[in-house]
Amino acid sequence: ESWKPCVVANLVLRFPWHTDSAVAEACQCAGIESISIPERRQLLLQGGIAFGTGEHPTTRLCLNWVVETMESIDKKRNEEEGDDESKSKKLFLDYGAGSGVLGLAACTVASSDNFEAIGVEIDSDAILIADANAQANCLPMRSFLPRIDRSRLDDESLSVALRASSRVVLPEEFNAPVFDVCAANILAGPLCQLAPVIASHLKPGAPLGLSGILQYLGDDVVAAYAPFFDDCHIEREEQGWVLVTGFRNENVVTKDLLA
């Protein structure tokens, strides 16, 4: 309960015990009038063990990227499709979702109802929290276990995933290059191992934002993703952590890379 409301990327992340006055104070400290932030952009998060409260530099790096990217996509979509209610559905992938904060942030920016965020997470407790956060905010996000490839998980991650094996795994319809955007806030080691897996979920041209990466490991992550993403580079740095971005190219992820 010592956590204060977090203001980042014109979003307010608040917990159940935060009062409106606490939110107003946090906004004032951030140089923003609380009245200027729409209710839709105030995310109510459940207290719990799931990572992703907005306080860590990597979460802030990702949140800023998610909001900027989604606003750009939304603007382009409105220009191309106008107010047509039959707008093509957009899918956002939050890989390593934790509390679901990145997917939920994407949902708050999307102006169309024809949008959904999907979280992938190996921790069943975190999935419960992410689902609760989505329900509390009435936002279209669902979270699932990944389809387990034991060779891509270290012993600790595999143990967590096996304990969660009773949870629903990612439906087959999402186990394909169907996503329009992806953000992943995981540590550099797992990110490098997951490069072909994450790439296999994205449509050509889909933007990617990665963090959880210490600055001295940034080049390793860029090297792992460069075969599958154009303009893959370190875009930002904050307090020794970096954000890596790129755009999915046409290179095929072969089955041997996913084995």
Side-chain angles (χ1 to χ4, degrees):
E1 294 192 8
S2 62
W3 282 335
K4 295 181 179 180
C6 184
V7 182
V8 57
N10 207 31
L11 294 169
V12 174
L13 311 182
R14 60 189 299 177
F15 291 91
W17 56 84
H18 288 149
T19 62
D20 289 343
S21 60
V23 170
E25 181 180 351
C27 289
Q28 186 177 15
C29 290
I32 300 172
E33 291 289 336
S34 59
I35 195 172
S36 69
I37 299 180
E39 185 175 349
R40 181 177 173 82
R41 291 203 178 191
Q42 296 192 32
L43 290 175
L44 178 64
L45 302 178
Q46 305 301 309
I49 63 170
F51 183 80
T53 62
E55 298 223 337
H56 197 274
T58 62
T59 310
R60 291 198 297 270
L61 284 166
C62 280
L63 280 171
N64 277 298
W65 180 85
V66 166
V67 170
E68 291 170 7
T69 300
M70 287 303 305
E71 286 179 341
S72 176
I73 289 174
D74 218 40
K75 180 180 178 181
K76 182 178 179 181
R77 188 183 190 189
N78 288 332
E79 290 174 350
E80 292 178 350
E81 303 181 32
D83 296 327
D84 187 353
E85 294 184 2
S86 63
K87 287 180 180 179
S88 58
K89 186 170 186 176
K90 297 293 184 182
L91 290 172
F92 181 97
L93 178 61
D94 183 352
Y95 209 100
S99 67
V101 67
L102 301 181
L104 295 173
C107 291
T108 68
V109 178
S111 61
S112 171
D113 291 334
N114 206 5
F115 178 88
E116 185 175 16
I118 298 296
V120 174
E121 172 60 55
I122 64 170
D123 187 332
S124 60
D125 291 329
I127 289 174
L128 290 173
I129 291 171
D131 286 347
N133 285 334
Q135 292 171 11
N137 292 279
C138 300
L139 292 173
M141 180 173 180
R142 295 179 286 162
S143 292
F144 302 94
L145 290 169
R147 294 179 176 273
I148 297 176
D149 177 355
R150 299 186 181 203
S151 68
R152 294 188 178 277
L153 298 178
D154 57 32
D155 291 342
E156 182 180 359
S157 298
L158 179 59
S159 175
V160 171
L162 290 175
R163 286 199 304 271
S165 59
S166 61
R167 294 287 300 175
V168 177
V169 299
L170 188 69
E172 192 62 37
E173 65 182 293
F174 298 127
N175 195 36
V178 296
F179 289 93
D180 300 279
V181 194
C182 175
N185 188 13
I186 318 175
L187 294 176
L191 277 176
C192 289
Q193 293 180 330
L194 287 166
V197 175
I198 290 176
S200 72
H201 285 88
L202 300 186
K203 296 177 180 178
L208 172 75
L210 306 171
S211 198
I213 309 162
L214 287 165
Q215 189 170 17
Y216 75 94
L217 294 172
D219 289 340
D220 293 344
V221 176
V222 169
Y225 282 80
F228 311 109
F229 291 86
D230 292 337
D231 192 26
C232 190
H233 67 285
I234 296 172
E235 183 163 318
R236 295 173 192 164
E237 181 273 336
E238 183 177 339
Q239 296 180 26
W241 299 87
V242 297
L243 173 76
V244 170
T245 63
F247 295 88
R248 182 70 173 98
N249 59 31
E250 298 279 354
N251 292 345
V252 175
V253 180
T254 56
K255 289 184 178 181
D256 63 297
L257 293 175
L258 299 173

